[in-house]
Amino acid sequence: MDRPRRKGHYGIDAPLVPLLMALGVLLCVGMAVFGHFQGWWTSTVILALVLALFLHASMRGKFVVWRRILGGQTWRGDEQVLDLGCGRGAVLTMVATCVPRGRVTGIDIWSSQDQSGNGPQVAAANAAAEGVAERVELQTADMRELPFADASFDVVVSSMAIHNIGSAGGRDTAIDQAWRVLRPGGRLLIVDIQHARRYQARLRTLGAEAGRRGLGWRLWWGGPWMPTQLVTARKAGSADPAATSDNWGP
């Protein structure tokens, strides 16, 4: 898949986290300058590196990784796709470029704590900026109660969203709902920082062929202690060309 320049504005994930990191860096700088204690410079460098990794993951890394994931799929071009927790449309608009004759539905509860400036009007503006507005539909909905019929979508994706559900039972319900609305032969792609092992186990209880893999340093949210994983699952049934590849790129 080519790498066109992104024209939308996609904000920062979990904006309070990098803000606190930045304040920590400033505090360490102040202590190093006015405290006359050499050890504070080490703390400053470490915190600055953690902040840089977080911002890279949010502002660049996720686009590089998702481009590879989507580029590793085989698309007919007319698929119906659901994005769970679409936010400002970072992944939504990328998927829409893969389905010129299809449609991508994005659902979210639009929490600004999870993504800065989050809102349906912002997602719509980004879809328009990327030239895919006619293929995108946005709805306010909870991923634990999807307002769609069974087997409505060829592909279901989710990026850094399911972990925001506070309870294990709620996350299990979101997985169940995603599986319910997926058509036979369809593919589920979940990228998340936590609970990936549980997502995989839950999908296997539903009869899925579920796999899991790490996504590397580009999606370290501050460091290797906060990695991101990809969970994939294929629903048994008629083979959909969009679900035949398990290669997400180098």
Side-chain angles (χ1 to χ4, degrees):
M1 182 177 290
D2 60 3
R3 304 175 68 169
R5 181 177 177 274
R6 303 291 284 169
K7 299 176 182 178
H9 301 283
Y10 297 100
I12 301 293
D13 295 89
L16 183 59
V17 175
L19 175 60
L20 291 175
M21 290 179 183
L23 291 174
V25 171
L26 292 175
L27 176 62
C28 287
V29 169
M31 294 299 293
V33 172
F34 299 108
H36 307 291
F37 179 53
Q38 188 68 26
W40 284 107
W41 286 116
T42 302
S43 299
T44 301
V45 171
I46 292 173
L47 276 176
L49 179 59
V50 168
L51 174 60
L53 283 170
F54 187 100
L55 291 176
H56 170 82
S58 183
M59 300 175 71
R60 176 169 171 76
K62 67 184 178 186
F63 296 102
V64 173
V65 169
W66 268 104
R67 188 177 296 114
R68 291 174 176 176
I69 293 171
L70 298 175
Q73 308 301 307
T74 302
W75 300 90
R76 293 190 315 266
D78 63 352
E79 289 85 357
Q80 298 294 309
V81 185
L82 175 64
D83 185 353
L84 301 174
C86 66
R88 295 172 61 143
V91 176
L92 179 88
T93 54
M94 294 177 75
V95 175
T97 65
C98 299
V99 290
R101 302 180 307 282
R103 193 161 190 81
V104 185
T105 301
I107 66 109
D108 209 312
I109 58 172
W110 315 109
S111 169
S112 60
Q113 293 182 353
D114 300 331
Q115 190 170 61
S116 63
N118 200 9
Q121 70 284 355
V122 179
N126 284 334
E130 303 288 359
V132 296
E134 74 283 357
R135 295 171 237 164
V136 166
E137 178 181 346
L138 300 168
Q139 294 191 33
T140 299
D142 190 318
M143 65 181 77
R144 293 167 292 186
E145 299 180 10
L146 294 178
F148 308 111
D150 295 356
S152 295
F153 298 96
D154 301 295
V155 181
V156 177
V157 302
S158 182
S159 181
M160 307 299 299
I162 299 176
H163 76 273
N164 291 314
I165 299 173
S167 69
R171 293 188 293 272
D172 285 349
T173 299
I175 295 296
D176 294 348
Q177 285 286 293
W179 197 246
R180 176 183 66 79
V181 301
L182 192 64
R183 290 172 179 160
R187 168 63 62 93
L188 176 64
L189 302 167
I190 300 173
V191 169
D192 216 338
I193 57 172
Q194 295 173 312
H195 315 299
R197 188 181 300 275
R198 185 179 178 103
Y199 302 159
Q200 181 187 32
R202 184 69 177 184
L203 285 163
R204 286 178 172 174
T205 67
L206 299 173
E209 300 175 19
R212 176 172 53 89
R213 65 183 67 161
L215 292 174
W217 71 270
R218 290 187 180 279
L219 280 179
W220 285 356
W221 296 87
W225 52 84
M226 189 60 76
T228 306
Q229 293 186 303
L230 168 67
V231 176
T232 62
R234 179 181 301 139
K235 199 167 192 177
S238 300
D240 180 350
T244 58
S245 173
D246 196 33
N247 173 33
W248 66 279

